[in-house]
């Protein structure tokens, strides 16, 4: 299934996309950790199969992030060898982990803001994992896959000067407002199947910048979830950004960082497409 949230900022209503492409009201208060932990996906599937869900008029309707209020956004850095190389860094022996402020999350078509004082705002298309069950000290990759509710497209927008040149950890180059567009859908794990076979692409102003595939991850999705569960408790609704392939501005000749008026478009096969216009904070 493809779950999503539609409506003005702060007033989104949960919905599901049916096989005919119609948007249907799922009759749940929210798509969040409580929804996922309480069997919400199964309830929606059963209601959809019974034909109980009313159609929503989509004209002029904003699409928000498909999950509300994640407890945390955990990110994996340098998880594609080609991206590590373009960054001038060695491929890591263990996953590189950093956090992103949960309130960076916006809808897939919302404006992305270049922070005040920024000259190095960058793009990153990534596969996002949404956790569906509490997980701690997972013993195997199989058990790790069992706690995943679904997947989504993420744009891990980054400010490279803040991240790499201002001291401390990466978080401050990752946590500026609007720096995590997510969606358009939460696609349930059963529909995605193998998360290590998903082509991913990103364009800036119509020019393709990134062209990768999740099969080229250094640490696959199952290992990332298993690994993280030994360092933190993963809770329903948590989001994990799993890394980006080569093609970011940081590694390009002339480093064409984002500026107001630029347009980013990104997609992952089966998970949908995003489009953001860049503005100035």
């Amino acid at each position: 299934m493809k779950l999503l949230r539609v409506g003005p900022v702060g007033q989104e209503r949960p919905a599901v996309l049916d096989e005919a492409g119609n948007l249907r009201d799922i009759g749940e208060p929210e798509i969040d950790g409580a929804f996922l932990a309480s069997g919400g996906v199964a309830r929606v599937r059963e209601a959809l199969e019974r034909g109980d869900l009313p159609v929503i008029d989509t004209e002029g309707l904003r699409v928000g992030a498909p999950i509300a209020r994640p407890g945390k956004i955990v990110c994996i850095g340098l998880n594609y060898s080609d991206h590590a190389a373009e960054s001038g860094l060695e491929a890591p022996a263990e996953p590189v982990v950093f956090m992103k402020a949960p309130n960076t999350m916006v809808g897939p078509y919302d404006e992305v803001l270049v922070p005040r004082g920024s000259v190095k705002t960058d793009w990153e298309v990534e596969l996002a994992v949404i956790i569906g069950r509490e997980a701690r000290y997972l013993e195997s990759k199989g058990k790790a896959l069992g706690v995943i509710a679904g997947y989504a497209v993420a744009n891990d927008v980054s400010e490279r000067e803040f991240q790499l040149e201002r001291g401390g950890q990466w978080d401050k180059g990752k946590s500026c407002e609007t720096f995590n567009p997510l969606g358009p859908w939460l696609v349930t794990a059963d529909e995605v199947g193998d998360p290590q076979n998903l082509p991913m692409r990103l364009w800036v102003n119509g020019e393709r910048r990134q062209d990768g595939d999740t099969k080229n991850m250094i640490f696959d999705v199952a290992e990332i979830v298993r690994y993280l569960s030994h360092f933190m408790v993963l809770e329903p609704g948590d989001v994990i950004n799993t890394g980006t392939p080569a093609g970011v501005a940081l590694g390009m000749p002339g480093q064409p960082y984002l500026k107001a008026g630029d347009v980013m478009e990104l997609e992952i096969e089966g998970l949908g497409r995003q489009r953001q216009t860049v503005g100035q904070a």
Side-chain angles (χ1 to χ4, degrees), residues 7-156:
V9 175
Q11 301 176 43
E12 295 91 347
R13 54 197 289 205
V16 62
L17 193 68
D18 69 17
E19 292 184 358
N22 298 310
L23 205 60
R24 294 184 177 272
D25 191 321
I26 67 173
E28 295 274 350
E30 191 52 282
I31 299 174
D32 57 10
F35 166 85
L36 296 173
S38 65
V41 170
R43 290 195 300 274
V44 172
R45 181 176 286 114
E46 292 167 2
L48 188 61
E49 290 172 352
R50 291 195 304 266
D52 291 347
L53 305 181
V55 173
I56 297 173
D57 181 6
T58 61
E59 186 174 354
L61 204 57
R62 169 185 171 270
V63 178
I67 184 80
R69 299 182 297 276
K72 52 187 172 288
I73 299 176
V74 188
C75 302
I76 306 299
L78 306 175
N79 197 31
Y80 289 73
S81 56
D82 56 358
H83 174 55
E86 73 174 354
S87 302
L89 299 168
E90 293 185 4
E94 293 190 40
V96 174
V97 180
F98 60 93
M99 309 295 284
K100 197 161 194 171
N103 64 0
T104 59
M105 194 176 68
V106 294
Y109 313 114
D110 289 346
E111 185 180 44
V112 166
L113 298 175
V114 172
R116 295 178 187 178
S118 166
V119 293
K120 295 184 178 181
T121 296
D122 208 345
W123 57 81
E124 294 189 10
V125 60
E126 304 203 8
L127 173 67
V129 174
I130 294 90
I131 299 297
R133 292 195 293 115
E134 187 174 89
R136 49 165 57 83
Y137 298 109
L138 295 169
E139 299 171 358
S140 68
K141 288 187 176 185
K143 289 185 176 180
L145 290 174
V147 306
I148 296 173
Y151 302 90
V153 182
N155 189 352
D156 179 19

Side-chain angles (χ1 to χ4, degrees), residues 64 73 123-124 146 150 157 168 186 196 211 224-225 239 243 252 278 281:
I73 299 176
W123 57 81
E124 294 189 10
V157 185
L186 186 168
Q196 305 308 145
D211 191 350
I224 288 168
V225 175
V239 174
M252 296 182 64
V278 178

